[in-house]
Amino acid sequence: MKRIRLFSFLILLPAFFNAQSIRQADTQFDSQQYFQALQTYKAVLKKCNNTEQARDYFQQAECYRMMSDWNMAKVYYDKAIRAKYPDDKAHLYLAQMHQMSGEYGEAITEFGIYKTLVPSDPAADIGIQACQVSLNWLNEPNRWVVHNEAQLNSKTNDFCPAFSNKKHNALIFSSKRAGQT
């Protein structure tokens, strides 16, 4: 009898730790600690069954999306879809990641798949229209020339420029640069 209990305990022990790790990753994700959550989801992935694996891929894609890594998000949304993740939003987010990467043809295809799955959601129509407009802009250049302002643009997230005084001769913006105040 003791051997049966010990054997049962040893079999159920990994499942308990796996569920605890998934909860820890979900808590990290909910706390917007996406990098830590991503590492935890990756560690849990090896121990998951197929249903949990699809969810784990989706959550990894969500972490990459929240960290603005569109290419890695595409990879993991695609893995989640192939693993039969049940939420149709995976197709929508995959389409948006293609759109953010400038892959408008692939984005239109994914928006079309999402539209067939969820015909009542206007996000698919809006996404398709936005991609078509973007393709038209790429094919029909205009007379405007945009030059990169190297002092303002960096590889970090610089956004939301605004004038800092009434004379409009000083500019401030939000940034994630090292050394920001």
Side-chain angles (χ1 to χ4, degrees):
M1 188 67 164
K2 289 182 180 179
R3 288 183 185 172
I4 294 172
R5 286 184 188 168
L6 179 63
F7 183 72
S8 299
F9 176 73
L10 291 176
I11 288 177
L12 296 176
L13 188 63
F16 171 74
F17 285 122
N18 192 32
Q20 190 174 12
S21 296
I22 290 173
R23 273 187 252 124
Q24 177 187 3
D26 289 342
T27 302
Q28 291 168 334
F29 184 85
D30 292 340
S31 300
Q32 299 178 354
Q33 298 173 350
Y34 302 119
F35 185 78
Q36 288 86 359
L38 181 62
Q39 300 307 315
T40 308
Y41 284 126
K42 284 183 178 183
V44 171
L45 180 63
K46 299 170 189 165
K47 306 170 193 169
C48 291
N49 62 31
N50 288 345
T51 306
E52 292 171 337
Q53 195 174 40
R55 181 185 180 277
D56 195 87
Y57 283 139
F58 181 80
Q59 288 301 114
Q60 287 184 52
E62 286 288 279
C63 289
Y64 281 119
R65 181 173 69 97
M66 295 300 180
M67 293 188 303
S68 302
D69 190 346
W70 317 129
N71 291 325
M72 289 303 293
K74 283 188 299 191
V75 170
Y76 281 93
Y77 281 127
D78 192 44
K79 285 183 179 186
I81 291 168
R82 289 182 186 188
K84 309 262 189 278
Y85 185 69
D87 191 355
D88 297 329
K89 289 281 187 185
H91 287 282
L92 175 65
Y93 295 149
L94 178 59
Q96 290 173 344
M97 295 306 102
H98 282 299
Q99 184 180 15
M100 295 296 287
S101 299
E103 300 167 350
Y104 300 114
E106 292 89 350
I108 290 172
T109 303
E110 283 298 324
F111 279 124
I113 292 170
Y114 180 70
K115 184 176 180 175
T116 59
L117 295 171
V118 187
S120 62
D121 192 352
D125 293 324
I126 293 168
I128 291 170
Q129 183 180 9
C131 289
Q132 290 170 341
V133 168
S134 297
L135 284 172
N136 287 341
W137 287 344
L138 288 174
N139 294 332
E140 300 173 12
N142 59 27
R143 63 187 175 134
W144 302 105
V145 178
V146 178
H147 297 283
N148 184 19
E149 183 59 49
Q151 291 181 337
L152 294 177
N153 294 330
S154 69
K155 292 183 180 181
T156 57
N157 290 337
D158 302 327
F159 57 95
C160 195
F163 291 111
S164 65
N165 59 17
K166 292 182 180 181
K167 294 181 181 179
H168 299 293
N169 60 5
L171 187 68
I172 60 171
F173 56 93
S174 297
S175 177
K176 289 201 173 198
R177 295 181 186 193
Q180 69 182 9
T181 58

